[in-house]
Amino acid sequence: MDDVGVESTRPDPPTLQTVAAAAGVSRSTASRAINGEPRVSPETVEAVQRAVRELGYSPNPAARTLVTRRTGSVALVVPETGDVLFSDPYFATVLSGITAGLAPSGNQLILLIGQHPGDGNQMISYLRGGHVDGAMIISHHRADLDADALGKIPVPVVLGGRPVGATLPGMPYVDADNAGGGRLAAHHLAGTGRTRLGTITGPLDMPAGIDRLDGWRAGMREHNLADDATAGGDFTAASGATAMARLLDEHPDLQGVFVASDLMATGALQELSGRGIRVPDDIAVVGFDDLMFASTATPPLTTIRQPTREAGRLIAETLLAMLDGRTPEPAQILPTELVRRASA
Amino acid sequence: MDDVGVESTRPDPPTLQTVAAAAGVSRSTASRAINGEPRVSPETVEAVQRAVRELGYSPNPAARTLVTRRTGSVALVVPETGDVLFSDPYFATVLSGITAGLAPSGNQLILLIGQHPGDGNQMISYLRGGHVDGAMIISHHRADLDADALGKIPVPVVLGGRPVGATLPGMPYVDADNAGGGRLAAHHLAGTGRTRLGTITGPLDMPAGIDRLDGWRAGMREHNLADDATAGGDFTAASGATAMARLLDEHPDLQGVFVASDLMATGALQELSGRGIRVPDDIAVVGFDDLMFASTATPPLTTIRQPTREAGRLIAETLLAMLDGRTPEPAQILPTELVRRASA
DNA sequence: TTGAAAGCGCTACCAC
DNA sequence: GTGGTAGCGCTTTCAA
């Protein structure tokens, strides 16, 4: 046994060559056996598999990507800072749907999280670099979607949420029926006989913020009610409390409020409780999302349910379809529904 | 202009060859210019950069990785399901530290999240595949650390948190002084004259759970107090409430409680408030972490602060040092301190 | 069913 | 300071 190189330097990992030699076949055949191609004899497959096992071989992904032009991974882009991302259960839920949808394909999910607000375009350069086969972009704000920049992404992209302020040909999106949900909230609150109603909106540079407000206003109009009582939030609990305070100060006669997310609604409930205002007796509250918080809030939240997990799954499946060369629906809208609990 | 190929098929992206030709130099020179190597004439650099810009060239990462044997990315492994991950601000904070620590190196962070509890070993196979240059593993449970499996990872690994139930040579870790923090909590509560004290622990298959309990018990012994009142949680708010309920039922004379995380403490506070028990008058509460929740809780939490963000940064920097060929300290322990607020 | 050989795009060594 | 050339590990024609 030659023992060159006394240094305990890490040995080179086995290559396809090593495996082929050990199995007594050529590299080509070894490759075919490993990739499960049809025309390989059973005993050859067996021999190769044994060699793989014994050598602890695993294919070099870079080499494979170089020739197949497939990386086997897709990106999930979230142009929010980690703080926001991790404090809203919406993300956990949509992410679980995405991983579920992606699972059968064996693709690896690469999560790109914003470091600083507004560096969405920096992420886009990552997508252009050929690191991934496709991408999903969720929770985007208007500023994140520079149509020119997005257009240069050389891989399929699916959006979670309608793009706002940009036309993006060939870039399908999956969204909930936010406007329909806003209308549902309006109808429900108006249906209780309350007439002085207001809303706490999401960020108005996001489709989820804009469309829920639009739906709410449409509903108000249908009931001939004023739609002027609004305060803006940013989907965080703190902003919900602040907005609630402002709404109360400006409209002391308020009887009901539609809050555009459950997380903000928890903040609003806290503000109401702090002021000794009873829910729903004094003011009725309707939320949006129906995740976690809604049923455990005090009182349990009446809310508009959107199928968040299902949306995640659909986003992933749509991307997989595109990777497969199929052309998906340009827009897939999921229904929302009212869930009655105690708060309204 | 030849117009072969009528099909509007996506044109091949430019390669180094294309750039070199456009700049009137060889591939070698173009490569050096692009990688900022010293010995290239300024005018050459200029010409190459212009060609890059005009062609919209970006280097093929697979080809680069194949020859340099560096992927330019590192993995963050979190063997928790998305739900847990996204509901505890601990992760947001440690993640922000990690991205900050990684930033100067230009490495891309790849987040590997558990899909099902206990598939930590599946992630390990990803690490073995040569996709990344190194890895960080945080929030690991005993079951996630199979020493044999980890030993086969061919890249540097840094652990966030002391490994439990396994000796892992060459695998450094960064941790807070959890035991010290537990003792601090014991001293503080005992120092208020309360004698009937209990604790809500974290998961006892995690170092953070074990060590905080050990420290607490040591502190209790030093004050000659009984340490039998304990209930176990899993670091979620819900488990904190459940454990608090159990503790109250089993020890009606309880005067103070140390809860091993702020998130669990919020659950405990809710349970106490629901039973009409006043904090700190009837029962004093000390938490652990000092993130977000602690100061906004009702009442504001007295807690043991650990430098979470700093830990994240240190984890990243330690990994970078290893990628650089340096040998880091096998263990880096960060100090904890008592933060006095209203709850104890 | 198998093997030989070309080549994916890039870096790095060597000469000049 | 620059160019030629070999080769990273793999898949994929093309022949046999």
Side-chain angles (χ1 to χ4, degrees):
Chain A
M1 258 189 248
D2 286 337
D3 201 353
V4 194
V6 179
E7 318 263 356
S8 132
T9 169
R10 195 173 273 148
D12 279 332
T15 71
L16 184 58
Q17 181 68 269
T18 329
V19 173
V25 297
S26 71
R27 269 164 34 215
S28 328
T29 303
S31 173
R32 284 187 281 255
I34 287 169
N35 293 313
E37 284 186 26
R39 287 183 268 175
V40 189
S41 77
E43 37 295 6
T44 303
V45 171
E46 174 58 34
V48 171
Q49 285 178 342
R50 200 159 42 78
V52 166
R53 227 177 304 117
E54 286 172 359
L55 293 165
Y57 169 77
S58 100
N60 180 319
R64 187 175 262 180
T65 296
L66 190 56
V67 47
T68 60
R69 290 152 175 285
R70 279 256 180 165
T71 65
S73 56
V74 298
L76 175 61
V77 180
V78 191
E80 304 273 6
T81 59
D83 324 29
V84 177
L85 174 60
F86 284 77
S87 62
D88 195 325
Y90 172 83
F91 292 104
T93 310
V94 76
L95 180 63
S96 102
I98 286 175
T99 52
L102 229 40
S105 76
N107 271 291
Q108 174 64 33
L109 182 67
I110 300 204
L111 200 47
L112 294 179
I113 302 174
Q115 310 236 24
H116 313 289
D119 58 7
N121 287 327
Q122 178 209 318
M123 301 182 179
I124 288 180
S125 88
Y126 183 81
L127 301 183
R128 294 193 49 193
H131 297 263
V132 294
D133 298 334
M136 298 163 281
I137 304 180
I138 65 171
S139 190
H140 46 265
H141 300 245
R142 178 185 285 117
D144 301 316
L145 297 183
D146 173 349
D148 288 348
L150 286 180
K152 286 188 191 141
I153 298 179
V155 295
V157 176
V158 177
L159 300 175
R162 174 176 76 77
V164 32
T167 322
L168 303 170
M171 205 165 285
Y173 69 89
V174 174
D175 207 346
D177 181 7
N178 287 306
R183 280 185 68 229
L184 278 179
H187 287 323
H188 179 66
L189 283 171
T192 64
R194 292 173 175 84
T195 55
R196 195 56 186 119
L197 303 174
T199 183
I200 294 176
T201 74
L204 295 182
D205 62 351
M206 298 181 71
I210 298 167
D211 297 349
R212 288 171 202 176
L213 175 60
D214 284 351
W216 164 260
R217 287 203 157 130
M220 288 285 100
R221 276 196 301 277
E222 288 164 22
H223 287 272
N224 293 312
L225 295 175
D227 64 357
D228 59 306
T230 75
D234 62 5
F235 283 150
T236 65
S239 78
T242 309
M244 190 70 247
R246 204 148 64 74
L247 221 46
L248 289 170
D249 293 342
E250 294 175 1
H251 306 276
D253 55 340
L254 204 69
Q255 297 173 307
V257 59
F258 163 50
V259 189
S261 91
D262 289 344
L263 187 57
M264 288 201 297
T266 62
L269 286 177
Q270 212 164 344
E271 178 67 24
L272 289 168
S273 142
R275 295 195 182 202
I277 298 175
R278 291 166 306 164
V279 175
D281 310 69
D282 300 327
I283 294 189
V285 176
V286 173
F288 200 109
D289 278 343
D290 195 33
L291 302 166
M292 207 159 74
F293 291 150
S295 52
T296 64
T298 343
L301 268 178
T302 291
T303 193
I304 307 298
R305 173 184 297 161
Q306 63 165 329
T308 307
R309 192 165 192 279
E310 188 55 31
R313 187 200 305 272
L314 209 49
I315 291 170
E317 288 173 350
T318 303
L319 182 59
L320 291 178
M322 293 176 79
L323 292 180
D324 230 56
R326 281 172 279 153
T327 304
E329 291 292 318
Q332 297 174 88
I333 311 295
L334 301 177
T336 51
E337 59 172 324
L338 178 77
V339 178
R340 298 189 58 155
R341 294 207 183 83
S343 71
Chain B
M1 258 188 251
D2 285 341
D3 201 353
V4 194
V6 178
E7 318 260 358
S8 129
T9 169
R10 197 172 274 148
D12 279 333
T15 72
L16 186 58
Q17 181 66 270
T18 329
V19 173
V25 296
S26 71
R27 267 164 36 215
S28 326
T29 303
S31 174
R32 285 188 282 254
I34 286 168
N35 292 314
E37 285 186 27
R39 288 186 268 175
V40 190
S41 78
E43 40 292 8
T44 304
V45 171
E46 175 56 34
V48 171
Q49 284 179 343
R50 200 158 44 79
V52 166
R53 227 176 305 117
E54 285 171 2
L55 294 165
Y57 169 76
S58 101
N60 181 319
R64 189 174 259 179
T65 295
L66 190 54
V67 46
T68 60
R69 291 152 176 286
R70 279 256 179 163
T71 65
S73 56
V74 299
L76 175 61
V77 180
V78 190
E80 303 274 4
T81 59
D83 324 29
V84 177
L85 174 60
F86 283 76
S87 62
D88 195 325
Y90 172 82
F91 292 105
T93 310
V94 76
L95 180 64
S96 101
I98 286 176
T99 53
L102 228 41
S105 75
N107 271 292
Q108 174 66 31
L109 183 67
I110 300 202
L111 200 47
L112 296 178
I113 302 174
Q115 311 235 26
H116 313 290
D119 59 7
N121 288 326
Q122 177 209 321
M123 302 181 179
I124 288 180
S125 88
Y126 183 80
L127 301 183
R128 294 193 49 191
H131 297 265
V132 293
D133 298 332
M136 299 162 282
I137 305 179
I138 65 173
S139 190
H140 46 264
H141 300 245
R142 178 185 283 114
D144 301 316
L145 297 184
D146 174 348
D148 288 348
L150 285 181
K152 284 186 192 143
I153 298 179
V155 296
V157 175
V158 177
L159 300 175
R162 175 177 75 79
V164 31
T167 321
L168 303 170
M171 206 166 284
Y173 69 88
V174 173
D175 208 346
D177 181 9
N178 288 306
R183 280 186 66 228
L184 277 179
H187 288 320
H188 178 68
L189 284 171
T192 64
R194 295 174 175 82
T195 54
R196 196 56 185 119
L197 304 172
T199 183
I200 295 176
T201 74
L204 295 182
D205 61 351
M206 298 181 71
I210 298 167
D211 297 348
R212 288 171 202 176
L213 175 59
D214 284 352
W216 164 261
R217 288 204 157 129
M220 288 285 100
R221 276 195 303 276
E222 287 163 23
H223 287 271
N224 292 311
L225 296 175
D227 65 356
D228 59 306
T230 76
D234 62 5
F235 283 150
T236 65
S239 77
T242 310
M244 189 72 247
R246 203 148 63 74
L247 220 46
L248 289 170
D249 293 343
E250 294 175 1
H251 307 275
D253 55 342
L254 203 68
Q255 297 173 307
V257 59
F258 163 52
V259 189
S261 90
D262 288 344
L263 187 58
M264 288 200 298
T266 62
L269 285 178
Q270 211 164 343
E271 178 66 24
L272 289 168
S273 140
R275 295 196 183 201
I277 298 176
R278 291 167 306 163
V279 175
D281 311 69
D282 300 328
I283 293 189
V285 176
V286 174
F288 200 110
D289 277 343
D290 196 33
L291 302 167
M292 206 157 75
F293 291 151
S295 52
T296 63
T298 343
L301 268 178
T302 291
T303 192
I304 307 297
R305 173 184 297 161
Q306 63 166 328
T308 308
R309 191 164 193 279
E310 189 54 34
R313 187 200 303 274
L314 209 49
I315 291 170
E317 288 174 348
T318 303
L319 181 59
L320 291 178
M322 294 176 78
L323 292 181
D324 231 54
R326 280 173 279 153
T327 304
E329 292 291 318
Q332 298 175 86
I333 310 295
L334 301 176
T336 51
E337 59 173 324
L338 177 77
V339 178
R340 299 189 58 155
R341 294 204 182 85
S343 70

